[in-house]
Amino acid sequence: MKRILAILLCVALMAVVPACKPDNIQYPSEIIDPEEQEILSPDLKEEEEQTPQDPPSDENSSEEQKPSQQEEPSQEEDSAPEAEEPIAPLNPLAADGFSPSADTASALQASGLIKKSSELSVLKNRTISFYTADDTPAFFYTDSKGKRLSEWDWMKAYADESSFLVEYSIKPAAVSAKAQRVALFAGKKLSLIQLHSSDLAAGLTLTRPATAYLDLENQSFGISKTVLAQSANRLFAPIGNVDSLWYNKALVGESDPATLQQQGKWTVAAFQSLATANAENKILPLQMESALPWATLSGKSPITLKEGRLDTNINSEGSKSVWAALQKMNQEIPTFLKDEDLGYSLKDGTVFMQYTTLPEKAEEMTLGYAPLPALSEESGSTVTFSGTFFALPKYEDGESAALAALTFAESWCNRYTEARAAQLQPFGIQGAEYQKYADLAEQKGMLILGSKPIEEMVETYLKGITDESINMANAYGNVITKLYAYVATQNLYY
């Protein structure tokens, strides 16, 4: 009797339990972003397409028409809508028809990169004080009346409009970093440290990271996040202020560097070919103040931070491979003898390329720009950051003071970036072309911690790149003790 009862129970259960889904179908327990799902091979996709997704329907089964808690909800009625990908904000400076601001306010607004203060107005009634990095303003712009205004004019107007005071002491570049060091050691309260790119190695010892006050998830069109990253979140700089190779397009023939760069073919070999052609036509191939930026082709800056301390890669294995490639290139390019009666310049058409932030050009001249060429098609090309930077001073002075200083620094970066965009417009770099330039600066930019003492020490060593009579190994051996002693001295302050 028990056996008969068990059989009857099994039959009853089979009658009420809905048909099972195939064993090889497993529904996810959570919705996964399509971009994060594992990509199936074509064979596996085809196999799944042939597998029935739902059990056969049974019109006579009233139980199957009722949704079970274990069954998936109806795709048409209950599935959540697919999440749309967030639309990236548009850069106002890259908009078609963009016209640079003639007012104090920039087209760029606060980005959220600097954390908000609990105060209603973080700058109101405060005093922002600093020493300038140079006795020449970092940027200029033109107002609605056609008057040329400087960085310092902007600061005064911004302070007046925002109800705070700005106090700055103008210092020549040669003494600025030293003057700021003396001021800090004497107990003077500076809101910010301002440094020129040529003084970063020593000047960075006067600064502290701003990490605690940053929300790095937010995008900024005015603050270079690449500079922040390479300075351990210490330096605030505008976007697009880099040195690059500017060249006369009339002298490139069919090998335009910008086009080669887009094709991944802008290499030292391509540069050599163009330099040779121009040298043979009595055109100086390149004007460049220092050879140090070439070292960045190794993937590292020649003077940088390593674990928060000053480090030099000038004679590293990577840098030496760059120097060797340049030596070989220079030996193969025809020797160029300057005419003593000529003043060579890009503007006059007697120079093919100039590595600089912004060159002079004749009205009828068309210039292009490109990064330093890569050693090979498999390696990277670079540009290097230039100009002026802001940073928090080394001593701690409270969160509200730091946020006020950084709010000022962001507004300065925004106005500086816009002034830079205005500089580039006469070169045809506007709209989508401006965005390409800004992207190049951020993606290929390398920060060299400029140091006049270090550059003076290795001057003879670097001359060996173009002068075959100089043994670079011996030249470096002559200064290595002095160089390492200087780096060690600076690291006492980091």
Side-chain angles (χ1 to χ4, degrees):
M1 184 66 180
K2 289 183 179 179
R3 179 177 178 82
I4 295 172
L5 180 60
I7 292 173
L8 290 174
L9 286 174
C10 288
V11 171
L13 285 172
M14 290 176 66
V16 298
V17 175
C20 296
K21 293 182 172 66
D23 291 338
N24 64 335
I25 300 295
Q26 291 185 348
Y27 291 95
S29 59
E30 60 180 354
I31 297 174
I32 302 173
D33 190 309
E35 292 185 359
E36 297 178 3
Q37 293 186 27
E38 182 179 358
I39 299 174
L40 300 176
S41 67
D43 293 340
L44 187 53
K45 286 183 180 178
E46 184 177 350
E47 180 182 338
E48 289 200 355
E49 287 171 0
Q50 296 173 355
T51 305
Q53 297 297 310
D54 294 296
S57 61
D58 185 351
E59 296 179 358
N60 297 322
S61 174
S62 59
E63 294 293 334
E64 289 187 13
Q65 294 176 9
K66 297 178 182 180
S68 170
Q69 290 184 351
Q70 279 88 21
E71 290 184 352
E72 290 296 304
S74 169
Q75 187 173 2
E76 293 181 359
E77 296 180 4
D78 300 318
S79 61
E82 291 186 7
E84 295 183 1
E85 289 195 16
I87 300 174
L90 298 177
N91 185 347
L93 306 186
D96 290 337
F98 166 73
S99 180
S101 173
D103 300 318
T104 306
S106 169
L108 301 177
Q109 303 302 313
S111 63
L113 186 61
I114 310 298
K115 291 181 179 178
K116 292 182 179 179
S117 170
S118 58
E119 300 177 19
L120 292 177
S121 178
V122 69
L123 279 170
K124 190 174 182 179
N125 298 327
R126 284 194 173 273
T127 298
I128 300 297
S129 60
F130 62 93
Y131 289 3
T132 67
D134 198 351
D135 53 8
T136 300
F139 63 85
F140 294 86
Y141 64 100
T142 303
D143 70 6
S144 57
K145 297 179 180 179
K147 184 179 179 181
R148 190 170 185 248
L149 300 178
S150 73
E151 167 198 22
W152 304 330
D153 295 321
W154 172 83
M155 289 175 178
K156 294 171 186 175
Y158 176 45
D160 288 342
E161 293 175 11
S162 303
S163 302
F164 70 94
L165 295 176
V166 60
E167 296 179 350
Y168 55 87
S169 180
I170 298 175
K171 300 293 180 184
V175 301
S176 176
K178 293 178 182 178
Q180 292 180 78
R181 187 182 300 280
V182 170
L184 289 182
F185 284 179
K188 185 174 179 64
K189 295 289 186 180
L190 297 179
S191 305
L192 290 161
I193 298 296
Q194 193 178 65
L195 300 168
H196 190 267
S197 56
S198 61
D199 259 340
L200 290 179
L204 215 58
T205 64
L206 308 177
T207 71
R208 74 178 191 271
T211 310
Y213 311 109
L214 302 179
D215 187 348
L216 294 171
E217 295 299 317
N218 285 316
Q219 182 180 11
S220 173
F221 295 119
I223 298 175
S224 171
K225 293 179 79 170
T226 302
V227 168
L228 271 173
Q230 293 181 18
S231 66
N233 292 335
R234 292 171 182 261
L235 295 176
F236 290 78
I239 287 178
N241 212 42
V242 293
D243 285 345
S244 61
L245 285 172
W246 292 89
Y247 59 91
N248 186 342
K249 285 196 171 185
L251 303 175
V252 300
E254 297 180 355
S255 301
D256 183 79
T259 303
L260 293 174
Q261 166 64 24
Q262 293 172 2
Q263 297 172 347
K265 297 179 180 179
W266 180 231
T267 62
V268 168
F271 175 88
Q272 178 181 332
S273 178
L274 285 166
T276 298
N278 281 281
E280 290 174 345
N281 290 327
K282 308 300 181 185
I283 303 294
L284 182 64
L286 174 65
Q287 278 186 335
M288 193 171 185
E289 288 188 7
S290 170
L292 277 182
W294 285 102
T296 59
L297 297 181
S298 69
K300 293 183 179 180
S301 174
I303 312 173
T304 187
L305 289 176
K306 182 179 180 181
E307 298 177 354
R309 294 167 67 81
L310 189 64
D311 187 40
T312 171
N313 295 305
I314 291 173
N315 196 52
S316 68
E317 290 302 316
S319 294
K320 286 193 289 187
S321 67
V322 175
W323 305 144
L326 296 180
Q327 281 180 314
K328 181 177 181 297
M329 178 189 73
N330 286 315
Q331 289 168 6
E332 295 174 356
I333 294 174
T335 302
F336 186 88
L337 298 176
K338 287 186 178 181
D339 186 331
E340 294 182 359
D341 297 328
L342 285 178
Y344 288 86
S345 72
L346 198 62
K347 182 179 180 180
D348 293 338
T350 52
V351 170
F352 170 49
M353 279 189 165
Q354 183 181 9
Y355 191 75
T356 185
T357 307
L358 194 75
E360 286 188 82
K361 77 178 188 72
E363 288 186 11
E364 70 281 1
M365 181 179 288
T366 302
L367 297 182
Y369 68 91
L372 292 171
L375 292 181
S376 68
E377 292 185 12
E378 290 73 36
S379 55
S381 53
T382 60
V383 294
T384 52
F385 292 104
S386 59
T388 306
F389 306 76
F390 261 134
L392 289 177
K394 195 164 189 174
Y395 60 79
E396 297 286 344
D397 200 24
E399 180 178 290
S400 60
L403 287 173
L406 292 177
T407 299
F408 177 84
E410 178 171 21
S411 296
W412 175 84
C413 282
N414 287 344
R415 200 65 189 83
Y416 195 171
T417 297
E418 187 164 355
R420 175 63 174 164
Q423 276 187 322
L424 295 169
Q425 285 193 344
F427 295 83
I429 302 173
Q430 51 190 317
E433 287 302 315
Y434 171 77
Q435 191 59 61
K436 288 181 183 178
Y437 184 91
D439 290 343
L440 175 76
E442 287 298 279
Q443 293 166 9
K444 295 186 176 295
M446 295 284 282
L447 183 66
I448 298 177
L449 301 186
S451 172
K452 293 174 185 175
I454 290 179
E455 289 195 43
E456 289 173 358
M457 289 179 211
V458 299
E459 183 178 4
T460 301
Y461 168 75
L462 294 178
K463 282 182 179 178
I465 298 170
T466 55
D467 188 343
E468 295 181 49
S469 67
I470 295 175
N471 184 305
M472 294 186 73
N474 291 342
Y476 188 76
N478 292 336
V479 298
I480 186 172
T481 301
K482 188 177 179 180
L483 176 62
Y484 276 56
Y486 175 80
V487 171
T489 300
Q490 296 303 307
N491 279 331
L492 293 175
Y493 300 100
Y494 273 100

